[in-house]
Amino acid sequence: MSTASSVTSPADPMPVAPPDPVLPSGFRWGTATAAAQIEGAAETDGRGPSIWDIFATEPGRIRGGHTPAVACDHYHRSADDVRDLAQLGIDEYRFSISWSRVLPEGRGTVNQRGMDFYSRLVDELLTAGIRPVPTLYHWDLPQALQSAGGWLERSTSDALADYAAIMVDALGDRVHQWWTLNEMNVHTLYGHALTDHAPALGMGLDCMPVAHNLLRAHGLAVHAIRAAGDHHEVGVVQQHFPVHPASDSPEDVEAADLFRILTNWTFADPVLAGRYPDDFVAELVATSAGLTAGQLEDDLGVMSEPLDHYGVNYYEPTVIEAPKPGKDYSGILEVDFPADMPFSPVRIEGVERTDFDWPVVPSGLTEILRTLHERYPGLPPVTITENGCSYDDGPGPDGAVHDVRRIDYLRAHLTAVSEAIAAGVDVRGYYVWSAMDNFEWAAGYGERFGLVHVDFDTLQRTRKNSWYWYRDLIDRVRHSR
Ligand code: FCB
């Protein structure tokens, strides 16, 4: 006797699409970019040079000798780029403002033509139904301020606060959400302790005043934005990642602890808890910046102004060991540490890697979000302000960009976010890094993080398959219940 249950059907030849990450329908979707990475027009309409323009002229600094002078030429193509964002269906767009476009000398007279560009961009975004969420500072200090001492100078924090007030005054009638600074840790360590980023000071731990002045600039900027009215929301963008010791040995554990403190907590504790993580760091800062205990305390008060949002950028975890004499640690991370540092990175094995050779570890995002939630009882609502991957896929013979690996990466990391939410972390939104391929700092145009492919010879834009996937995902989640 035949029954329905005895009927067999041939195996489904179509692969089953993996399930969507489970996210709330009100989750805020976005993409992120930074001025120096996309705008180009380095000398147009009265813009002054930034430290990245100067750094790029120095031989050997940037892979391929590339410079940010043209980048994606977004300065002249913003209307088209915003149209693309509108069709993607995002809620928010995180871009950064080039300080030296608005204030070519870093302070003093406003360059109105530069300001007009941002005013136009904001209008274009609002017309497209996208909330503009600018970052005031994404590593591109006006060279004029660098020549006067840059972030080693306390007065650079005050200059940033004045610039913040100018921006809120000019755009605050239409922009109501702000990010102060991007990744103070990477800027301090890569650009000031090491020489991999501008301004390439290579000062080792003597660069700690830079960390302090950046943190103080953040606090002063929060204050300037708040002074413009209660309707303004403000947050900071920090890069966070889990740090694990390579073994249980006390030496490795100690090395990992120190690395974690210097890369994560030195930049988060002042903002979220009004303290430096331990006496060692507090003393290092006070001594190198020439501050009394009282001044340090006052500055920590400035740095810890309450925030409406906390931005987390996540790319990869780090495994650290105590350096083993004679072992070669070069090429494990994107930057090499001087041999006399008390910690060394260990290559993470057994995981996929992006074309930038960064390990793909989505669970690290859940882990760091849970750690932040536990460490800071008053953690403001979190936005993932950057997450993404470099894969070198370009248009194939059919004209399409089949960047399957990016889709897998984004799906896995959004699932990691959903797991953090299920564990109680208040994550409200997610921005893909990046809206389009762009100038990837010391790697030049060689690393492609975009949802949109950019041909850097013709500046032609081509949507990648991940762009369509992200658009459809946003739509499905938005209409889920
Ligand atoms: C982050 C930067 C961003 C981009 C990504 C790949 O550290 O904030 O500008 O370069 O890395």
Side-chain angles (χ1 to χ4, degrees):
M1 198 173 89
S2 105
T3 64
S5 60
S6 68
V7 177
T8 55
S9 45
D12 185 348
M14 296 293 289
V16 179
D20 285 343
V22 181
L23 291 159
S25 56
F27 197 68
R28 295 182 345 262
W29 301 93
T31 56
T33 60
Q37 298 182 268
I38 64 164
E39 284 182 5
E43 295 181 6
T44 305
D45 290 343
R47 180 182 178 277
S50 86
I51 53 174
W52 276 92
D53 299 304
I54 304 304
F55 182 75
T57 63
E58 296 168 9
R61 294 290 194 201
I62 295 181
R63 209 198 281 174
H66 297 165
T67 81
V70 177
C72 308
D73 196 32
H74 171 72
Y75 187 79
H76 295 113
R77 295 161 196 250
S78 65
D80 287 345
D81 290 337
V82 169
R83 214 166 295 129
D84 184 77
L85 296 177
Q87 289 172 13
L88 183 58
I90 54 173
D91 300 292
E92 299 180 357
Y93 172 54
R94 174 179 171 234
F95 59 99
S96 85
I97 295 164
S98 158
W99 185 347
S100 63
R101 195 181 289 290
V102 174
L103 291 162
E105 297 293 316
R107 39 167 80 95
T109 313
V110 169
N111 172 34
Q112 194 53 46
R113 287 176 298 170
M115 186 65 93
D116 289 347
F117 167 70
Y118 294 108
S119 187
R120 247 182 355 255
L121 176 62
V122 163
D123 286 342
E124 284 160 0
L125 288 165
L126 290 172
T127 305
I130 299 169
R131 181 174 231 222
V133 281
T135 309
L136 290 169
Y137 183 72
H138 198 124
W139 302 349
D140 47 355
L141 190 71
Q143 179 60 33
L145 293 181
Q146 186 60 45
S147 303
W151 288 109
L152 286 165
E153 282 295 320
R154 189 173 170 85
S155 61
T156 303
S157 312
D158 302 294
L160 185 129
D162 293 345
Y163 153 61
I166 289 169
M167 292 315 306
V168 184
D169 189 46
L171 305 180
D173 56 337
R174 289 155 291 152
V175 172
H176 300 139
Q177 191 186 326
W178 304 82
W179 300 107
T180 56
L181 280 77
N182 179 70
E183 295 188 358
M184 294 181 275
N185 58 350
V186 175
H187 194 39
T188 302
L189 300 170
Y190 288 22
H192 299 81
L194 308 174
T195 56
D196 298 81
H197 279 186
L201 297 192
M203 299 176 69
L205 289 185
D206 290 342
C207 77
M208 287 311 268
V210 169
H212 189 79
N213 291 331
L214 286 168
L215 285 157
R216 186 167 164 270
H218 155 74
L220 293 173
V222 175
H223 191 78
I225 293 164
R226 294 253 182 262
D230 288 347
H231 56 293
H232 286 287
E233 297 176 15
V234 58
V236 64
V237 174
Q238 306 255 37
Q239 190 187 103
H240 282 301
F241 47 91
V243 177
H244 294 294
S247 79
D248 292 342
S249 79
E251 296 77 24
D252 287 352
V253 169
E254 198 186 323
D257 285 350
L258 179 61
F259 188 77
R260 186 182 309 106
I261 285 173
L262 289 175
T263 53
N264 279 263
W265 309 144
T266 294
F267 297 87
D269 279 12
V271 170
L272 295 173
R275 59 164 195 246
Y276 275 113
D278 61 17
D279 293 347
F280 166 70
V281 174
E283 260 186 62
L284 199 62
V285 169
T287 315
S288 58
L291 298 170
T292 64
Q295 286 168 323
L296 194 76
E297 218 36 55
D298 289 351
D299 286 354
L300 284 163
V302 171
M303 296 168 188
S304 53
E305 290 252 0
L307 299 177
D308 304 292
H309 302 277
Y310 193 72
V312 174
N313 294 355
Y314 172 76
Y315 289 95
E316 54 181 318
T318 309
V319 176
I320 293 290
E321 70 182 16
K324 299 206 175 20
K327 182 166 166 187
D328 180 12
Y329 290 100
S330 55
I332 292 173
L333 291 184
E334 192 192 335
V335 295
D336 291 333
F337 303 131
D340 60 351
M341 285 286 171
F343 35 67
S344 292
V346 172
R347 191 173 168 89
I348 299 175
E349 301 292 352
V351 297
E352 283 178 37
R353 307 188 82 87
T354 70
D355 287 348
F356 210 164
D357 203 29
W358 294 2
V360 178
V361 187
S363 60
L365 178 52
T366 315
E367 182 186 342
I368 193 65
L369 289 170
R370 295 186 67 162
T371 303
L372 289 165
H373 176 68
E374 280 154 27
R375 186 174 177 93
Y376 304 110
L379 181 69
V382 169
T383 302
I384 307 303
T385 32
E386 284 182 30
N387 176 239
C389 47
S390 167
Y391 288 116
D392 197 20
D393 306 303
D398 59 353
V401 184
H402 297 279
D403 58 337
V404 187
R405 295 173 297 173
R406 177 168 293 98
I407 295 173
D408 289 345
Y409 179 101
L410 296 177
R411 186 192 290 109
H413 284 77
L414 278 159
T415 302
V417 171
S418 74
E419 282 163 11
I421 294 174
V425 190
D426 185 4
V427 186
R428 305 271 178 97
Y430 175 95
Y431 307 160
V432 173
W433 184 270
S434 175
M436 63 186 113
D437 293 343
N438 57 46
F439 174 74
E440 177 46 36
W441 309 113
Y445 298 100
E447 300 296 337
R448 295 178 173 276
F449 281 87
L451 293 176
V452 170
H453 180 273
V454 178
D455 177 323
F456 289 106
D457 294 324
T458 62
L459 298 175
Q460 168 82 36
R461 277 91 160 127
T462 307
R463 291 171 179 173
K464 301 182 187 176
N465 282 2
S466 57
W467 186 97
Y468 295 98
W469 174 82
Y470 195 50
R471 178 194 64 183
D472 293 348
L473 176 73
I474 293 172
D475 191 60
R476 283 197 299 277
V477 175
R478 197 175 273 151
H479 297 106
S480 65
R481 301 198 312 134

